[in-house]
Amino acid sequence: MIAKAKHQRLVLILVAVAAMIGATLLAMSALSQQAAYFYAPDDIRRDKPEIGKAIRLGGMVQKGSIKRAADGVTIGFVVTDGLATTPVRFRGITPDLFKEDSGVVAEGRLDASGTFVADNLLAKHDERYMPPQMAGKMHKTETLEK
Amino acid sequence: MIAEAGLAALWLAAALAVLQLMLGVLGLTGGRDALLPAIRPVAVVQGVLTALSFALLIWLFLDSDMSVKLVAANSHSAKPWLYKFAGTWGNHEGSMLLWVTILGMAGAAVAILERRVAERTLAATLAAQAFIGIGFFAFLLFSSNPFERLIPAAADGQGLNPLLQDPGLAFHPPTLYIGYVGMSVAFSFAVGALVMRDVGADFARAMRPWVLISWIFLTLGITAGSYWAYYELGWGGWWFWDPVENASLMPWLAATALLHSVTVLATRDGLRAWTVMLAVIAFSMSMIGTFLVRSGILTSVHAFAVDPERGSFILALLAIYIGGAMALFAIRISTVKEGSQFEAVSREGALVANNLLLSAILGIVFVGTLYPLGVEAVTGEKLSVGPPYFNSAAGPLALLLVVVMAMGPVMRWRRDRLKPVVQRLALPVLLTAVALLAVVLLAPGIGILPFLGIVLAIGVGAASVAPLWKRNLRRTPLFTYGMVIAHLGIAVALAGMACESAFNKETLVAARIGDTARVGPFSVKLKDITPIAGPNWTALEATLEVTRGSGTPFILKPQARMFSNPPTETTEAALKVQLDGQLYLVLGQADDQGRWQLRLWWKPFVTFIWAGGIMVALGGFLALIGRLRREAKTWRREAIA
């Protein structure tokens, strides 16, 4: 039972503060395990992430690197940032804007052989809208002023 | 001419907002009460002018006036008229004008309709509303002018992002904006009450309809956005914990908490300071939502333009409004007297638990959404926080919350005991136990969260109708029905979410014409692939013959579309709703051996998610009507007396 009369507001404040601190601690501990860092192929070469940890890989799809496996639904390709390359394997339907010489962000993890196994591929949404993560790595957007 | 008229209307409305603020400030200080009656008409005219300005922008889009920069950049003369119309807010400037228009019209509605609070409190409320408006008028006029001319005029426009060319665009942004802006009205009431030292039950009753309206529209907007993303993206998911989705979820969580605490304040005159603080937080969340989506710091289809100047402008507005609100709260909160008392086990106690859990979930979503931005700003390192974090951190709290939701409505105000509460819920508790046993026996090995989700959905669904138990159903007030339906909607949506994640079946194949694939209880045969053409796109369309068990076959036709302006491809999934779920078929690319990728999903009970969302909104609507009718009745009685 909550203590009588005039301390009720104080008790409520304390409960609220305790709940907020609890939520923040819960959030921070979950974050330290679950946050997926963004890597370029060169980052992976210099500082290899733990095998099996969820990360994101970003860069350009290397020209001529897209290979389709015999089952028709698995593809392999190479992501490059101009400095290093990482091979990627993906099972699924590639996004509409996924193509060679174009930007891509892959969500997934490295396997023991150094291949990046992607669960999900994100391509830029359309020709004019550029993800900030790829800014500078891709050709300039066409604007009306030009 | 029309563009100039629209800009003039916008400038005039901005000037009136300044006047409205000055009338409020001057009228409330130094005994110049004579100024106060002028504030209502000013607010009304300001609302009319913003609406006029927005109507003129719609006209320009419908007319495909390519001498206006915004139209040339975002529209195309060959576009169907619906997307010309909805395309008005399918871009940064137009969507900000929609924001301001809803804000202006909400201010006008307060000025016309509000009769409960004292004249001085209302003046302070409208002044606060004008203060919010001024920032957004400045933002539009100085850095996002929607009426800017293009000289020379373009031959034709660049077209609208094809992902946005969907009937959802006509519905989803305006509903969410009404929700966001509704929170600003609730906030203005809180400011008015704080400034006038008028925080009490009357203030809560005046604010409640606005909180309800805002919450109903946020619910609808989130539900519609979720379904839109589900069928348009072709990924088969209904919630991605994308920052843009979180931007709409956070105000909803705060609004849900506020909705429940304002009820305590209106009914029992308790939780005064807490309710005011929630109003401040809910408004802050809708501002942060606008900032996240409109500043271009996030990568998504919602980020129309990456323009650092605009981002800084919105960030400055955010700092002024939230900082100002928090400061006012800190200065004035000591003048808010403590409300009436209650025991821990009581309806109020359950509502406090509801508020704390919602706030904790809000905190978790907030941290997960902003942490990547914070880390990048400080260390330059890029990272993303995805579903594993949100599900594991917020999921258990959400399940706890639905348990509280089941108990709260059958508890008495002020004081109650746990034993009778459990007795009142005997049947739901029994059902929960039966469901637990059934799921363990029939579907062993499903994840812990989906498992608890299914079991609790059944128990909580039964408990949510318990408040109607043994009552005269004809004399039960409409707002009680509203609560029951909204709570039932939560249980229905929870059942859909849990079933979808527990029993989802997926097949990915490369099929030749004539091949058959299986997914769940269905067999899917690829009959043919044909090219077809729409008004501004061409497509490849698969003809799929689907059979469930030994039933009659039916045809589904997923498409891969190619748009010409701008050149983009989109996936049009084919959906078939069954009583117990939804079949979801996507056509992928062809390979060099003449095989086509097909992605097939069978999603048991997935439609319950959105049906539940609509029930929640419907419940809110009934509660709103019920409250307004009850108040009208009270006024009539008072008028007679």
Side-chain angles (χ1 to χ4, degrees):
Chain A
M1 288 295 115
I2 286 179
K4 269 286 156 206
K6 67 183 170 202
H7 295 305
Q8 180 159 39
R9 179 179 260 188
L10 186 67
V11 172
L12 283 176
I13 291 170
L14 289 178
V15 171
V17 169
M20 284 297 102
I21 291 174
T24 311
L25 288 178
L26 191 66
M28 293 322 277
S29 85
L31 266 182
S32 61
Q33 292 162 22
Q34 312 277 14
Y37 284 82
F38 188 88
Y39 285 80
D42 191 45
D43 302 328
I44 291 185
R45 188 188 59 184
R46 280 186 286 135
D47 176 22
K48 199 169 179 178
E50 214 178 297
I51 286 166
K53 182 171 165 39
I55 61 169
R56 288 180 154 202
L57 169 69
M60 305 284 282
V61 180
Q62 198 168 58
K63 200 167 185 174
S65 73
I66 300 183
K67 301 259 186 311
R68 208 169 279 276
D71 68 355
V73 291
T74 306
I75 62 159
F77 58 94
V78 173
V79 171
T80 176
D81 59 358
L83 300 167
T85 60
T86 306
V88 180
R89 191 169 73 233
F90 173 66
R91 190 170 181 278
I93 293 179
T94 53
D96 302 316
L97 289 155
F98 175 80
K99 52 183 181 250
E100 293 182 350
D101 256 346
S102 191
V104 69
V105 175
E107 295 176 335
R109 48 198 57 76
L110 278 180
D111 71 4
S113 69
T115 301
F116 187 85
V117 182
D119 309 320
N120 202 4
L121 295 183
L122 310 169
K124 59 192 174 110
H125 266 296
D126 91 19
E127 300 291 341
R128 276 187 296 148
Y129 305 118
M130 203 67 45
Q133 283 144 331
M134 288 181 231
K137 292 178 183 166
M138 299 173 67
H139 58 87
K140 286 274 172 259
T141 51
E142 277 191 41
T143 59
L144 271 173
E145 281 80 8
K146 217 163 77 176
Chain B
M1 249 339 269
I2 292 168
E4 283 69 30
L7 188 58
L10 197 56
W11 272 105
L12 270 178
L16 284 181
V18 175
L19 179 64
Q20 189 177 326
L21 177 63
M22 305 234 311
L23 280 175
V25 172
L26 294 177
L28 292 172
T29 51
R32 282 179 286 258
D33 282 27
L35 290 174
L36 292 179
I39 204 162
R40 284 190 196 241
V42 169
V44 174
V45 176
Q46 188 208 324
V48 170
L49 283 171
T50 51
L52 175 68
S53 169
F54 188 62
L56 291 173
L57 187 66
I58 293 176
W59 183 339
L60 291 170
F61 267 85
L62 286 177
D63 199 31
S64 294
D65 186 342
M66 296 305 165
S67 70
V68 175
K69 194 171 159 186
L70 187 68
V71 180
N74 294 288
S75 196
H76 191 277
S77 57
K79 222 165 48 167
W81 81 266
L82 175 66
Y83 304 133
K84 286 183 185 172
F85 169 71
T88 311
W89 52 82
N91 56 74
H92 171 81
E93 289 84 350
S95 71
M96 287 317 300
L97 184 58
L98 174 63
W99 213 105
V100 166
T101 302
I102 297 173
L103 188 70
M105 288 170 61
V110 171
I112 294 170
L113 299 174
E114 189 49 59
R115 293 281 179 269
R116 273 155 296 204
V117 295
E119 190 68 15
R120 292 175 65 86
T121 309
L122 182 77
T125 303
L126 285 175
Q129 190 74 4
F131 183 67
I132 298 167
I134 290 167
F136 283 92
F137 279 119
F139 181 56
L140 267 175
L141 292 168
F142 297 130
S143 90
S144 315
N145 178 8
F147 296 104
E148 197 175 330
R149 288 282 185 183
L150 183 67
I151 301 170
D156 208 331
Q158 299 197 344
L160 177 68
N161 182 348
L163 280 173
L164 297 178
Q165 296 197 21
D166 184 279
L169 179 65
F171 183 70
H172 166 70
T175 36
L176 269 185
Y177 277 16
I178 294 173
Y180 280 1
V181 173
M183 286 325 328
S184 83
V185 180
F187 168 76
S188 297
F189 271 109
V191 170
L194 270 182
V195 170
M196 290 295 119
R197 300 186 165 88
D198 202 9
V199 177
D202 280 338
F203 145 75
R205 285 191 203 108
M207 182 169 84
R208 178 158 60 186
W210 291 97
V211 178
L212 260 170
I213 290 172
S214 161
W215 180 80
I216 293 165
F217 278 93
L218 279 176
T219 309
L220 283 177
I222 292 171
T223 308
S226 160
Y227 191 64
W228 188 8
Y230 169 79
Y231 74 72
E232 181 71 31
L233 293 176
W235 296 345
W238 50 273
W239 190 263
F240 301 95
W241 291 109
D242 183 90
V244 175
E245 292 172 321
N246 296 345
S248 65
L249 181 64
M250 290 189 288
W252 185 84
L253 288 167
T256 311
L258 177 59
L259 182 65
H260 289 88
S261 82
V262 84
T263 301
V264 176
L265 184 52
T267 318
R268 302 284 322 154
D269 200 10
L271 300 184
R272 289 178 171 180
W274 176 250
T275 302
V276 172
M277 192 178 78
L278 274 180
V280 171
I281 289 177
F283 170 70
S284 305
M285 287 302 149
S286 65
M287 291 298 294
I288 287 172
T290 309
F291 168 69
L292 284 175
V293 175
R294 284 289 159 267
S295 63
I297 56 170
L298 296 175
T299 310
S300 90
V301 69
H302 298 78
F304 296 121
V306 184
D307 182 340
E309 185 201 339
R310 286 175 181 165
S312 327
F313 206 127
I314 300 192
L315 190 60
L317 285 182
L318 194 72
I320 292 170
Y321 291 141
I322 298 182
M326 295 287 179
L328 182 70
F329 180 78
I331 293 168
R332 276 298 164 91
I333 200 58
S334 57
T335 67
V336 176
K337 289 210 188 70
E338 185 165 352
S340 61
Q341 307 273 326
F342 53 87
E343 305 258 329
V345 180
S346 64
R347 178 84 68 93
E348 288 97 324
L351 287 168
V352 166
N354 148 308
N355 272 225
L356 289 176
L357 284 166
L358 279 167
S359 307
I361 295 171
L362 174 62
I364 284 167
V365 176
F366 183 82
V367 169
T369 308
L370 293 177
Y371 181 72
L373 300 174
V375 169
E376 192 179 340
V378 175
T379 67
E381 206 166 4
K382 291 189 166 75
L383 58 85
S384 73
V385 176
Y389 161 78
F390 291 102
N391 291 342
S392 65
L397 291 180
L399 290 177
L400 196 58
L401 180 62
V402 295
V403 173
V404 176
M405 184 189 88
M407 292 170 67
V410 297
M411 294 171 98
R412 292 184 211 288
W413 291 107
R414 286 205 54 211
R415 72 191 303 180
D416 206 337
R417 289 183 182 287
L418 267 183
K419 212 173 139 194
V421 169
V422 175
Q423 278 166 1
R424 275 170 237 152
L425 289 175
L427 191 64
V429 170
L430 193 72
L431 270 174
T432 311
V434 173
L436 191 115
L437 211 66
V439 177
V440 168
L441 291 177
L442 297 177
I446 60 174
I448 180 76
L449 281 182
F451 170 73
L452 289 174
I454 293 171
V455 171
L456 285 177
I458 292 169
V460 168
S464 54
V465 285
L468 296 179
W469 190 249
K470 287 182 185 165
R471 275 180 85 150
N472 182 341
L473 292 182
R474 289 177 131 194
R475 296 186 66 100
T476 305
L478 198 53
F479 50 79
T480 306
Y481 280 109
M483 176 193 72
V484 166
I485 290 174
H487 284 182
L488 192 58
I490 296 281
V492 168
L494 176 64
M497 293 170 195
C499 285
E500 198 271 341
S501 67
F503 307 122
N504 182 31
K505 294 271 186 300
E506 182 186 349
T507 307
L508 183 66
V509 290
R512 287 193 175 79
I513 289 174
D515 284 358
T516 300
R518 296 198 62 84
V519 59
F522 297 89
S523 70
V524 179
K525 183 176 180 187
L526 178 59
K527 301 267 281 190
D528 200 6
I529 303 262
T530 42
I532 57 165
N536 55 346
W537 47 265
T538 58
L540 286 171
E541 186 176 77
T543 306
L544 299 170
E545 189 184 76
V546 186
T547 322
R548 179 170 195 171
S550 55
T552 17
F554 50 90
I555 300 290
L556 285 178
K557 297 185 168 182
Q559 299 174 351
R561 281 191 190 168
M562 274 76 66
F563 283 79
S564 46
N565 288 297
T568 310
E569 294 164 28
T570 68
T571 312
E572 296 291 312
L575 304 175
K576 176 78 177 176
V577 180
Q578 304 262 305
L579 271 182
D580 57 346
Q582 194 172 41
L583 192 63
Y584 186 120
L585 310 178
V586 175
L587 173 66
Q589 293 104 337
D591 66 5
D592 43 15
Q593 302 169 33
R595 293 184 299 183
W596 296 84
Q597 288 185 339
L598 290 176
R599 196 163 192 182
L600 319 170
W601 278 282
W602 167 239
K603 296 176 168 295
F605 300 106
V606 69
T607 42
F608 277 38
I609 298 172
W610 308 291
I614 291 170
M615 282 174 74
V616 172
L618 175 70
F621 184 68
L622 291 181
L624 178 66
I625 302 289
R627 290 291 176 198
L628 293 179
R629 270 179 31 187
R630 165 71 56 98
E631 279 189 14
K633 209 189 249 174
T634 323
W635 287 340
R636 272 201 304 273
R637 211 173 285 146
E638 279 169 8
I640 292 165

